[in-house]
Amino acid sequence: MKVGLLTGGGDCPGLNAVIRSVVRRIANAGGECVGVLEGWRGLVRGNTRPLSVAETDALIGLGGTILGSSRTNPYKNPETDVPLLRRHFAALELDALVVIGGDDTLGVAVRLINDFELPIVGIPKTIDNDLKLVDFSFGFDTAVNVVVESVERLRTTAESHRRVIVVETMGRSTGWIACFAGMAVGADYILVPEVPIDVPHLLGVLKYHRTPFKNHAIVMVAEGARYTDPELLALEPRPFSHPRLGGIGASIAEIIERQTRIETRTVVLGHLQRGGAPTAHDRILATRFGLAAGELVLQRRFGTVVTLKDARISETSLNTTALANCPLDLGFYQDAATFFYEPYEPKTKE
Ligand code: F6P
């Protein structure tokens, strides 16, 4: 059996661990794997590389993807790119294709399954944790840990200078990363897209952070967080800020400094959250996803995608409904938010 593998969309710690795992499972069953380079672009252009057990052996802890990635969508040029993709797929004589991607990359897989019955098995990936297919996606834990480590560094300088530091995280239109990292560092306030920004509430909370007992604050803001106040909305025209540009974090920092007169700084963590080695949790999850996808391929159960529900790995049919977006579970946010108002009362002498 000859199996192709491709990784598409934004990269994500754990992708190489998945590749290693699929390659080993298929090799154990006597099959061979070939890597398609740079997502769907590789199939449109016919760019591939061999993937042996030896070549992938040391990949488990390596960040990024050795196959490269892109956001190429062949359906943007259906007249030219889709026929090219099909021609290269046939020329490679693939029995199956394992597609590792988020909703965009897997969305293309759905169309190829529906239009041409391509033998595809999907594996969900995203640092944003915004897919209904999984309770937790690999890459998410690594991203949260990067944010935690960074905020712990930022807290000491915030404390020295009695400043507020606004930390903008990734997450697209969801607040999973901001909320989980914010809770893990005991952030003083967390802003997420699922909860409209309430500026007076934020400023009210921050007033507690100018006492002899607490003189700094960390405000976490997810890149997709939005204002509801139309006046403020006008200040932030982008649908959601982009890590290359920064946006909502800088805007929030400006409001805080202007209204409270507390010196405020912004840090946009951006692609740091996607780089480097995956955590042990993500390596294990990615390895198990790879094994599950390998099994599905060997059983020829095509048109499926790996899932993680209630800590159990399983599979479901790969279709647009399965790829629905998953906003932050507000239960997590409410837990984190119970700490926002805690004032630091002076301890009375006995
Ligand atoms: O979906 C992953 C993600 O990192 C988002 O959190 C972020 O908005 C986006 O990708 C950044 O994309 P790019 O790498 O194209 O700048």
Side-chain angles (χ1 to χ4, degrees), residues 158-185:
E159 200 163 5
S160 307
H161 290 270
R162 301 170 61 83
R163 284 173 174 158
V164 172
I165 298 194
V166 177
V167 183
E168 185 180 308
T169 69
M170 282 188 170
R172 283 208 301 187
S173 53
T174 66
W176 287 98
I177 297 176
C179 182
F180 270 55
M183 206 164 178
V185 296

Side-chain angles (χ1 to χ4, degrees), residues 10-11 71 125-128 130 170-172 177 223 240-244 271 274:
D11 68 347
R71 298 196 191 271
K125 68 88 224 183
T126 166
I127 63 159
D128 304 326
D130 61 353
M170 282 188 170
R172 283 208 301 187
I177 297 176
E223 63 180 343
F240 62 88
S241 57
H242 191 279
R244 273 201 305 268
H271 292 82
R274 280 201 345 223

Side-chain angles (χ1 to χ4, degrees), residues 9 63 70 77 86 94 101 103 113 121 129 132 142 145 164 188 200 215 222 237 248 259 261 266 269 284 296 332 343:
S70 73
N77 302 304
R86 291 184 68 206
L94 295 178
D103 50 358
I113 292 165
V121 168
N129 204 38
K132 277 224 161 73
T142 307
N145 276 285
V164 172
D188 300 287
N215 63 8
I248 190 67
Q259 305 278 336
R261 310 226 165 260
T266 323
L269 292 175
I284 294 165
L296 290 168
F332 288 114

